[in-house]
Amino acid sequence: LFTWRLVYHSYAPRIVFSKHIQKSLNEKLDARYIISFQNMGKRTFFNGELNVSLFLKEKDRSNSPWQEIPIPVNQSGELKTKVARVEPQEETQNSEKPKITFDIRFLTPNESNLSLEEMLTPEGYIKASFSGYDMVTGSRKTFTSKKYKIHDIS
């Protein structure tokens, strides 16, 4: 039992997402949004997949169901992006964190060009998830970010 706990929990990979969504503008003044993540565990992840979703409710109906809208995470409009490896990092290292970059303009017609801030209702939120395989055990693990609200965009 001790060995199982050590192998599968204590020395397992652990993905930690950033506390905020970073907003940046490109040369065309289009907004890009970035969520950073890193492996704070003890082992490497491989064959990972990242995705981001926007969760909204209808404004006038508080008892309406949540609508999940997948957000494309690259310029080609794909809903998932592959990550070959995510190595473990110590909390004290200042190395570059892997990032999910997404562009909300794929979700709206070209004429409207709504920003993410304009699309998010007060109850709405964004969630990122990462699924991958533990390098030692081969087990598949999924990690989900916190619910990013409108005040989490900086």
Side-chain angles (χ1 to χ4, degrees):
L1 183 62
F2 175 73
T3 305
W4 175 85
R5 177 131 180 100
L6 193 67
V7 169
Y8 286 95
H9 291 284
S10 299
Y11 289 101
R14 184 173 55 94
I15 298 296
V16 177
F17 291 90
S18 58
K19 294 179 180 162
H20 300 284
I21 296 175
Q22 180 184 356
K23 180 179 179 179
S24 67
L25 299 175
N26 63 16
E27 60 278 352
K28 297 178 185 175
L29 297 179
D30 291 331
R32 309 276 333 232
Y33 300 92
I34 300 167
I35 300 174
S36 300
F37 67 97
Q38 62 187 39
N39 181 0
M40 297 305 294
K42 304 291 185 195
R43 294 196 301 244
T44 301
F45 251 132
F46 70 99
N47 275 354
E49 287 184 347
L50 287 159
N51 60 15
V52 180
S53 291
L54 175 64
F55 292 85
L56 297 174
K57 277 190 171 192
E58 290 183 37
K59 289 185 180 181
D60 300 335
R61 298 174 53 198
S62 61
N63 61 350
S64 65
W66 286 99
Q67 295 179 356
E68 180 179 0
I69 304 166
I71 299 174
V73 290
N74 57 30
Q75 291 295 333
S76 63
E78 293 176 16
L79 298 177
K80 293 182 179 183
T81 188
K82 302 271 187 196
V83 179
R85 291 174 72 101
V86 181
E87 298 290 337
Q89 297 179 356
E90 297 296 325
E91 290 188 51
T92 57
Q93 286 182 343
N94 291 330
S95 59
E96 183 73 20
K97 296 178 187 175
K99 297 178 174 112
I100 310 169
T101 303
F102 58 95
D103 189 343
I104 204 71
R105 69 185 158 87
F106 286 108
L107 297 179
T108 60
N110 290 337
E111 302 85 40
S112 62
N113 245 353
L114 293 175
S115 70
L116 180 59
E117 293 88 337
E118 292 168 330
M119 290 183 73
L120 273 176
T121 61
E123 304 87 26
Y125 60 92
I126 291 174
K127 258 188 166 177
S129 66
F130 177 85
S131 297
Y133 294 93
D134 182 339
M135 186 67 103
V136 173
T137 65
S139 62
R140 185 167 177 85
K141 299 182 184 294
T142 300
F143 293 90
T144 305
S145 71
K146 71 175 198 162
K147 294 179 179 179
Y148 294 106
K149 301 282 205 161
I150 194 160
H151 58 79
D152 292 320
I153 300 171
S154 57

